Amino acid sequence: MKEMQKQQRSDMKEIEEFLTAAENYANEGIKRWRVRRETANLEGAWSNLRAADIALLELANEDYRQGRKGEILAKAARHLEVNDPRLVEIREVAKEDGALNGRTLASILDAAYEAEYEELANIRSWRRSLWWTTLLMLIGVAVFVFWMWFHPGALTLCFRPTQDFVACPSREVTLKNPDRYPQGLTSGWESAQDAVAVVIAGLAGASLTVVGSLLKIPGTSTPHDLSIAVSALKFPTGAVTAILGILLIHGGFVPGLTNLDNRAQILAWAAAFGCAQQLVTHIIDARAQKAIFQAGRAGVPAEDSPLRVSGR
């Protein structure tokens, strides 16, 4: 009896240590403003809370265990794979209306927590990749705009629909002596604002698709929301597709479209190409929707739930 009481006191002390560690992580997270550090503190708090929950389940009496059985089985059904041996045991117990001992329940809860953590870790890794990609693309767009600001003639974004008229993204020029310039010449009238105008038009076009994609992506209870990361990626992608689109038109790669008549048309096409980035990012949209939907649903489908007993 003394040994049992001593073991119980040791277990209770361990649970208190888990709860204290969770409280420390939570308090530290409140003081920090950095997102990355805040996420680490949140995960540390949850990890210790889950460890305390599992330890308490092993230590608690039978009434407490059986009272939580339905919750634990449902959690296992959401997160464990269909062929997991523990789910096989759960099915058998559910069909027979049997009782699960504390150690088995704790093992199932531990496995469900671990599977849930892996799901969130995958989402967190993908979200980090999306943010890094967005950052690198934004840097690339900024470097391009910076270079074009000081070297506007390095890459012309202007069009010359008629012999005496030149249309650029930031201005229009009517030539007083057009015969002095060779037919089709578009360089020489570039402005430092041309690249900026095309990029802004591309960002405006991308913003329209961002609104549309946010309406399609469902909300999530996970702490790592992918929808914001996917939406952020659309903006630099829209700027890049706008620049490339205008260059493709200028180079004659678009059949039947070799010249744009005025500044408004150039910006309109840049915005359209900014919207067209959806052709590239729609795959990421689909994967994000699937990942968000399956978070917490990666285990047994609802119709095959281990809590579902035939004939009930």
Side-chain angles (χ1 to χ4, degrees):
M1 180 64 69
K2 291 183 178 180
E3 289 295 329
M4 184 179 298
Q5 291 177 349
K6 183 178 180 180
Q7 182 63 38
Q8 287 180 347
R9 286 195 297 268
S10 176
D11 292 340
M12 287 299 298
K13 183 178 180 181
E14 183 182 20
I15 293 174
E16 290 176 358
E17 290 175 353
F18 284 135
L19 294 176
T20 301
E23 184 179 6
N24 292 336
Y25 273 114
N27 290 334
E28 186 179 357
I30 294 174
K31 298 176 183 178
R32 301 280 183 170
W33 63 270
R34 290 181 297 178
V35 175
R36 184 176 179 181
R37 184 63 180 174
E38 182 180 351
T39 302
N41 289 329
L42 178 62
E43 291 179 355
W46 272 113
S47 176
N48 282 278
L49 285 174
R50 290 167 179 173
D53 190 20
I54 295 170
L56 180 62
L57 191 64
E58 293 182 352
L59 187 62
N61 57 40
E62 189 64 24
D63 291 338
Y64 176 81
R65 294 170 184 167
Q66 297 309 314
R68 291 195 58 191
K69 184 177 74 172
E71 169 205 340
I72 294 171
L73 298 185
K75 188 174 188 66
R78 288 196 305 270
H79 296 289
L80 296 181
E81 296 296 334
V82 178
N83 57 355
D84 193 294
R86 286 157 294 203
L87 281 182
V88 176
E89 181 180 0
I90 291 174
R91 289 192 185 96
E92 296 300 323
V93 172
K95 289 178 182 178
E96 298 173 2
D97 290 333
L100 291 170
N101 60 51
R103 188 168 297 277
T104 302
L105 274 175
S107 174
I108 294 171
L109 182 59
D110 186 24
Y113 276 145
E114 184 65 26
E116 182 182 22
Y117 177 80
E118 291 178 0
E119 292 170 5
L120 296 180
N122 289 333
I123 292 178
R124 183 174 65 253
S125 175
W126 192 25
R127 188 191 69 163
R128 186 184 301 115
S129 299
L130 288 174
W131 279 116
W132 273 109
T133 302
T134 301
L135 177 61
L136 293 176
M137 292 188 69
L138 284 174
I139 293 174
V141 171
V143 169
F144 173 79
V145 171
F146 181 81
W147 174 260
M148 291 295 293
W149 184 271
F150 293 99
H151 304 85
L155 189 64
T156 180
L157 298 172
C158 300
F159 294 85
R160 190 177 177 184
T162 62
Q163 181 67 9
D164 61 347
F165 184 77
V166 177
C168 297
S170 62
R171 62 174 182 166
E172 296 174 347
V173 179
T174 300
L175 305 180
K176 296 181 179 180
N177 299 306
D179 296 334
R180 295 175 50 189
Y181 306 101
Q183 182 71 28
L185 179 67
T186 57
S187 60
W189 296 281
E190 300 89 346
S191 171
Q193 292 83 16
D194 287 344
V196 177
V198 172
V199 167
I200 291 176
L203 292 175
S207 65
L208 296 178
T209 62
V210 169
V211 175
S213 64
L214 287 177
L215 296 176
K216 295 179 181 179
I217 296 180
T220 175
S221 59
T222 64
H224 309 292
D225 192 3
L226 285 176
S227 59
I228 297 177
V230 174
S231 299
L233 180 61
K234 293 177 182 293
F235 286 101
T237 306
V240 172
T241 54
I243 295 169
L244 292 178
I246 298 300
L247 291 178
L248 289 175
I249 294 177
H250 193 278
F253 280 83
V254 181
L257 187 63
T258 57
N259 259 320
L260 299 180
D261 296 333
N262 51 57
R263 175 174 176 262
Q265 278 193 9
I266 297 175
L267 296 179
W269 275 101
F273 282 118
C275 290
Q277 54 78 32
Q278 184 67 17
L279 299 176
V280 179
T281 58
H282 79 281
I283 300 176
I284 301 177
D285 274 336
R287 286 195 60 189
Q289 292 181 40
K290 184 177 180 181
I292 292 173
F293 179 79
Q294 288 185 342
R297 302 178 179 88
V300 184
E303 62 272 12
D304 192 30
S305 171
L307 301 180
R308 190 179 171 92
V309 180
S310 177
R312 295 190 182 183

